[in-house]
Structure formats: structure tokens, C-alpha cells
Amino acid sequence: MTADTTILGHPASEAAGAPPHPLREFWSYFSANPGAVAGLALILALILLALCAGIVAPHSPIVTHDDAFLRPPFWEEGGSLTYPLGTDSIGRDMLSRLIYGARLSLLIGVVVVILALVAGIILGLVAGFFEGVVGIAIMRLMDVFLTLPSLLLAIVIVAILGPGLANAMIAVAIVQLPNYVRLTRAAVISELAKDYVTASKVSGAGTLRLMFATVLPNCLAPLIVQASLGFSSAILDAAALGFLGLGAQPPQPEWGTMLADSRELMLRAWWAVTFPGLMILVTVLAFNLLGDGLRDAFDPKLKR
Amino acid sequence: MLRFVLTRVSLIIPTFIGLTLLTFILVRLIPGDPIEAMAGEHGLDPARHAQLLHEYGMDRPVLVQYAFYIERVLHGDLGISAVTHAPVIQEFSTLWPATIELSTCAMLFAILVGMPAGIIAAVKRNSIFDHGVMALSLGGYSMPIFWWGLLAILLFSSLLGWTPVSGRIDVQYYIEPTTGFLLIDSWNSDDPGAFWSALSHLVLPMIVLGTQPLATIARMTRSAMLEVLGEDYIRTARAKGVPPRRVVGLHALRNALIPVVTVIGLQVGSIFTGAILTETIFSWPGVGKWLVEGIFRRDYPVLQGGVLLLGIMVMTVNLTVDLLYGVINPRIRHAR
């Protein structure tokens, strides 16, 4: 162990032979992956941007400017620094909408992942602990969800609930649910066979305590990786719903909805189409990089 | 082998029942009275309302209604579109070839580009080519497909004028749909221009739809190949003096195929997801565009039937992939 950490550029400060703190060990693997660090930096920058949107954005994201329809970005003929990335067809500042869009997209990611994670963990624990009828019923239901293409299932749920940002988030969370349920159940079943669980049972722990205090903490690693990757697909799917007109509704500055708004103007105003999509790409890319890095850092097979 | 096939086939029955339950519940969960929704804005007198309820069997217990629904589904009756009044299954089968044509071509494009790229990247590990493939595939994997489609139209159709913007073929050509696949139908027609027109309409949506699967396939092929190339039998083959091409193409690739086939099978779901968006962007007259329009028209029979049929299609493909494993890998066939 000590040898490992030294090789990775972290002088072992611990007493010889003592294993490094798990977090420190984790960070040494994670930081050895430049892509993952870049992803993390991008995400931190996006979070900062979203938090300071009110200070950074030059204009309001929904106020229209009657004197400035479809202004190009400042480096093009006719553009000005008042609207650095131009304006859309009804005179709203692109840059401000993009900045406030970061708030919405991160919010979507957080809400969707938390919803899917909490429901998935509970269902997965139940399916793992009660392998009889209840477990089978839960897993079969998840199989049905997995049979449908993800966007199609989301569309069906939105069709039932009605279009809108909140319903789109619920729909995307349900779409992601099976991943978490399956991961949790698989981890629970392999943990249940171990001695520490038996010991805990023998000393009289109840089912709920076994579920949440004994077994769950040992199932978290794959769930964290999945949550990070789930962030990117949540943002992507919610943007796709917005693009189809089923997600966030105008005038909300959601990137997918912005793309749908400016689709007809594509040939006249390239900037109105290019920038929102670029933001989606960069955000999704950052979360994918982070997820890959987390997976490698958690994977014991790669720690040789 | 027969036992393996039967076990796998029997596994799809519960999934099928679950799927029909889902589509059955879907229509129940939509707020509002279904009869009034069908009647539209004209309204109905209570007597006619009750009569219609009875005609559609909606005054029966829910379980009986579900049994009737299953019976109709098994007889191929998926209801009638609330907008066009054509049978849903007939509309689906007219549009389905367009979706299949686009999806198959996109998949072929993804496999034919992605697998060689992954193999070369693995063989030339850490070269510029390898890093390039990995970077591009990460980008392709994260790409919002609806934006990629718009960019492609902007660049190739508007700026360069290489390809048409939308549709499947120029309006000047009329092709009798015999197979429904325009590439085949137009090839068989006497007009060579028709085939080129169909092909030029297909290229851009095919590339856009194929991008995400391509990225995933390239990544998976590379990592599967890397794993296999480190095995002892590869070193043995090399030591025996087997030519490098044969080692890679025969010894390594064959054993790397299983995870790759798994991933290709899993891409089918994402291809259909992508097809919904691609068809909407390129005005491609397929099932995906039809379903999205169905939502906006509140055409619930179309939604219900379309979702069921698409689900069945995905199930069938998954089953085929499962059976293919058995052919590729005898260990799976003989397990248990």
C-alpha cells in the first residue's frame, strides 16, 4: 500500500506499514486521472456559475429588449458587447439565458438523481432482503421499464402527467430507477452472505437496522459511480424532452427548450442554436469524465 | 441447444404481460373521461355516453377489461387512431419500414466504423490514433443528438449544400412501396435518380443517429480487445509465429466479440430513443415522429398501440441477442 501511494506521487506520510486513510487513497487514484480532474474542475466552475448567476449575468434571462432582436455575438458584424453572445428572436440576452440555464440543468440533475437514488435504494434493499414474491415483482417491473427505450418511457410518463419541468424530472427519474434498483439488489445479495451481517443478526439487529445501517454503507461505491453517470443522462434526457416541447416550458431558460425555440431561425441566427447545445455537450461531458474517473478509482481490479 | 432456446423464449412472457399492463394502465391514468375525450368538444347526452361505455366494455370490472384488452392485442387489434380513424396497427406497419431502414443503416454505420476503430486503437495502444479515437468517442457519447442533427443540417445541408434537409426522397419521384424500404424499392425502380435521391436523404440522419452507438461500440471493442490481447494464448500464438494480422483478426477478435455483441444489443434501445429525435429533426416519416405527433394530438390509441409495438420490437431484438450469445459462446449454451 505504502509503495503504491509513493509511486502515484504522494509521499507516504503514514507510519510505515499503516494503510493510508481510505479517502486519501481514493484521491490519489482519482487525481492520477487527468480527464476526471478536468471533469471535476468543469463541474465546480458550472456550480459556481449557477450560484452566482444573479451577479455574473449581464441581463435578466427573461426580459426582452425591443431594440435588439437577433443580434449576433460581439465579434460579428452588427454585434455589440452589450449582448456578448447575441440575442434571440424576441430580444433576450443569450449569455444571461445560458448562465441561468446552468442553474436549471444542475437542478434537474440533482433532483432526478436524488429521486431515483432514494427510491432505487429502498426498492433494491427490499428486493434484496425479501427474495420471494415481493422481490420478484419488483425486479419484473424493472425489467418492463428496461424494455422500453428510455426516451419513449419518459414521453409516456409526461403524456400522463402533462408537460412541464417538474413532470419531466419525475419522468426521467423513473426512467433511471431500474439501474439503481438492480445495482442495490445485486450488492445487497452479495453482502448478505458475509459474516459481519450474520454477526449483526446474531447480536439482535432488526431488519431496518440491518438494511440501512449494516448493509447499505457497504453497497455505496457502485451507487456513487452510477449517480455521477446518472447526472449526465438526466441532463441529456431532460434537455431532449425540452427540445420536444414536453419538458421545461418557455420562457424558462432551459437549454433544450432554447434549442427548440430557435430551431426555425437556425439559418438566420446560428448562435441561437449553437451555444445552448454546446453548453449541454460540455456539461454532459464533464459528468461523464467524472463518472469514469470515479469508477476507475473505486475499482479494486485496477488498483494493482 | 433446444432447451436453451426454450428457456430464453419463456423468459419473455412475464415481460410481455408487464408491458401490456403498462400500456393498459397508461390510458386509465390519463386524467379525464375517455369517452368524453373521444367525443371531442361536441359533448354527449348521458344515454349515448352510457351506451358507448358499454360498447367499449368500460362498465365492466377492471380485470375483465384487461382480459379483453389482452384478447384484442393477441388478435392484432390495437384500436383506431382518434385523429385519422385508421387502425393503429395499419399506421404502424406503414411507417415502421422507414424507422427500420434508418435504424439498421445507422447501426451498420456504427458497427462498421466503430469496431475497426476500436480494434486499431487497442492494437496501437497509447498512439495518437488511440487517443484520438478515445477523445472522439467520449465526445460522441456525450453528444446531445438533437443538437448534433441541427448542426449537421446547418453545415452539410445549408452551408455546403451536399445533402437535402428533410424527408426520405425528392417529391418528383414516386416509388411504389413494395417492401417499404425506399433504398430497395428505388433500386428496383427503373429510375436511377430515385435511388441516389433516397440515399442522399438517408446519409445525414444515418450518421447523426449512428454517432452515439458508434462511440459506445468503439470504446467497448477497444477495452475488450485490450483484455484479450494480454492473455497467455495470444502470446503463445505470437511465439508460434502466427502472423500478427491472424492473431488479431482470428485469435483475439473472436474472444473479444462477446462483450461487443452485448453492447451492440444494448444499443438497440438507444437507437430507438435516438430515432424519435432524429426523425423529428429530419422530418423522417417513421414511427418515432408519429408517436411524438400522437402526444401533441392527444391521440391516445396511437400512443398506447405504438408504445406496445415498439416495446415488443425491443423485446424481440433482446431475445435475438440472447440467443446469439449461445451461438457465439458454447459455455453459455451448456450452462445449467
Side-chain angles (χ1 to χ4, degrees):
Chain A
M1 267 308 156
T2 330
D4 270 353
T5 33
T6 334
I7 288 168
L8 286 162
H10 289 262
S13 52
E14 296 84 3
H21 187 273
L23 270 181
R24 176 178 283 262
E25 191 201 355
F26 167 78
W27 176 250
S28 76
Y29 285 110
F30 184 82
S31 57
N33 182 343
V37 176
L40 185 65
L42 266 173
I43 291 166
L44 290 178
L46 276 168
I47 292 175
L48 205 65
L49 196 65
L51 287 178
C52 309
I55 307 164
V56 184
H59 301 274
S60 154
I62 48 174
V63 169
T64 58
H65 302 272
D66 291 340
D67 54 337
F69 293 146
L70 285 182
R71 286 278 180 87
F74 70 90
W75 62 85
E76 288 228 331
E77 182 85 42
S80 74
L81 275 174
T82 325
Y83 308 107
L85 294 181
T87 59
D88 66 6
S89 59
I90 52 174
R92 292 174 296 198
D93 180 47
M94 282 299 292
L95 180 64
S96 310
R97 285 177 72 70
L98 291 174
I99 292 173
Y100 276 94
R103 264 191 189 176
L104 275 183
S105 282
L106 292 177
L107 177 79
I108 290 169
V110 170
V111 172
V112 166
V113 168
I114 289 180
L115 277 180
L117 197 59
V118 170
I121 285 177
I122 294 175
L123 285 174
L125 280 170
V126 171
F129 270 81
F130 307 102
E131 283 194 86
V133 183
V134 183
I136 291 175
I138 292 175
M139 295 323 286
R140 280 289 94 88
L141 183 68
M142 295 303 127
D143 282 352
V144 175
F145 283 180
L146 282 174
T147 309
L148 290 176
S150 62
L151 189 61
L152 186 62
L153 182 58
I155 287 177
V156 168
I157 297 166
V158 173
I160 296 172
L161 300 174
L165 185 59
N167 291 340
M169 290 195 280
I170 296 174
V172 177
I174 296 179
V175 168
Q176 297 201 349
L177 191 60
N179 299 324
Y180 297 102
V181 176
R182 286 187 149 194
L183 276 177
T184 313
R185 177 177 169 271
V188 164
I189 287 176
S190 75
E191 290 300 316
L192 276 180
K194 293 187 180 163
D195 286 341
Y196 76 93
V197 180
T198 320
S200 180
K201 257 188 221 164
V202 171
S203 33
T207 310
L208 278 180
R209 189 181 170 78
L210 274 180
M211 275 183 175
F212 290 97
T214 314
V215 172
L216 182 59
N218 293 297
C219 305
L220 283 182
L223 288 172
I224 293 173
V225 174
Q226 181 63 40
S228 165
L229 295 172
F231 241 91
S232 65
S233 52
I235 291 171
L236 211 50
D237 284 356
L241 285 175
F243 179 75
L244 290 175
L246 298 168
Q249 300 295 313
Q252 278 177 317
E254 198 270 324
W255 296 330
T257 314
M258 287 170 72
L259 267 179
D261 278 352
S262 38
R263 219 181 117 190
E264 275 77 42
L265 305 162
M266 196 166 68
L267 302 181
R268 279 170 55 208
W270 60 267
W271 58 91
V273 175
T274 312
F275 294 130
L278 200 61
M279 290 302 285
I280 303 176
L281 174 64
V282 169
T283 312
V284 172
L285 192 66
F287 279 105
N288 279 338
L289 282 170
L290 178 75
D292 282 358
L294 286 177
R295 188 186 47 209
D296 292 352
F298 278 128
D299 189 352
K301 262 195 286 183
L302 296 169
K303 287 188 185 176
R304 263 173 277 158
Chain B
M1 187 70 194
L2 182 69
R3 202 178 141 198
F4 166 75
V5 172
L6 286 180
T7 331
R8 284 297 143 101
V9 172
S10 68
L11 278 179
I12 67 167
I13 295 172
T15 319
F16 175 75
I17 294 175
L19 191 62
T20 52
L21 261 176
L22 188 76
T23 51
F24 175 74
I25 295 169
L26 157 74
V27 174
R28 320 261 114 203
L29 286 180
I30 289 163
D33 182 293
I35 300 289
E36 272 171 27
M38 268 187 261
E41 289 157 11
H42 308 299
L44 281 171
D45 63 280
R48 175 77 181 135
H49 187 268
Q51 187 196 346
L52 275 174
L53 262 185
H54 183 73
E55 260 176 41
Y56 285 96
M58 285 173 187
D59 52 351
R60 307 277 197 98
V62 177
L63 268 180
V64 178
Q65 287 187 37
Y66 177 66
F68 277 129
Y69 173 64
I70 289 278
E71 196 204 337
R72 278 190 287 126
V73 166
L74 291 178
H75 284 98
D77 173 14
L78 294 176
I80 284 167
S81 161
V83 176
T84 61
H85 300 290
V88 170
I89 195 142
Q90 186 189 320
E91 289 202 340
F92 183 89
S93 46
T94 335
L95 297 170
W96 179 239
T99 301
I100 278 291
E101 185 173 62
L102 176 62
S103 310
T104 313
C105 292
M107 205 65 198
L108 282 177
F109 166 73
I111 295 172
L112 291 179
V113 179
M115 273 183 57
I119 294 171
I120 298 174
V123 173
K124 305 193 168 183
R125 193 179 185 179
N126 286 330
S127 65
I128 298 174
F129 185 85
D130 182 21
H131 291 305
V133 166
M134 289 312 285
L136 279 181
S137 76
L138 191 67
Y141 185 70
S142 312
M143 185 67 90
I145 178 170
F146 40 97
W147 182 59
W148 178 215
L150 293 180
L151 279 193
I153 292 179
L154 199 61
L155 182 64
F156 293 107
S157 303
S158 306
L159 233 58
L160 297 171
W162 289 354
T163 56
V165 175
S166 65
R168 285 180 84 189
I169 197 162
D170 282 334
V171 275
Q172 68 197 71
Y173 300 106
Y174 175 75
I175 302 293
E176 191 65 42
T178 37
T179 59
F181 301 107
L182 258 185
L183 279 186
I184 301 174
D185 286 346
S186 62
W187 181 260
N188 289 334
S189 75
D190 301 325
D191 196 343
F195 177 74
W196 289 111
S197 173
L199 191 66
S200 66
H201 279 81
L202 179 69
V203 167
L204 215 50
M206 173 190 86
I207 292 176
V208 168
L209 182 55
T211 300
Q212 217 167 29
L214 192 159
T216 316
I217 290 172
R219 267 161 74 110
M220 187 42 96
T221 310
R222 176 180 176 273
S223 67
M225 281 297 281
L226 279 181
E227 199 154 302
V228 171
L229 283 174
E231 297 280 347
D232 286 344
Y233 60 82
I234 296 292
R235 199 179 40 194
T236 311
R238 287 214 168 109
K240 279 196 311 186
V242 178
R245 271 168 182 272
R246 207 175 144 79
V247 173
V248 172
L250 193 73
H251 297 239
L253 185 58
R254 248 179 131 173
N255 290 292
L257 264 182
I258 288 193
V260 175
V261 172
T262 311
V263 160
I264 292 175
L266 286 176
Q267 293 310 303
V268 174
S270 83
I271 277 267
F272 284 136
T273 285
I276 295 174
L277 294 165
T278 314
E279 287 178 3
T280 308
I281 296 166
F282 288 92
S283 303
W284 188 267
V287 175
K289 186 164 163 281
W290 173 65
L291 274 175
V292 172
E293 285 168 356
I295 291 181
F296 286 114
R297 292 175 182 160
R298 306 197 155 270
D299 194 342
Y300 295 119
V302 159
L303 200 59
Q304 188 185 30
V307 168
L308 180 65
L309 287 170
L310 260 186
I312 292 175
M313 294 301 168
V314 177
M315 253 166 53
T316 317
V317 175
N318 287 347
L319 178 71
T320 318
V321 174
D322 262 9
L323 294 179
L324 263 181
Y325 290 154
V327 178
I328 302 175
N329 189 350
R331 270 181 296 185
I332 295 175
R333 198 189 316 156
H334 294 301
R336 269 185 298 162

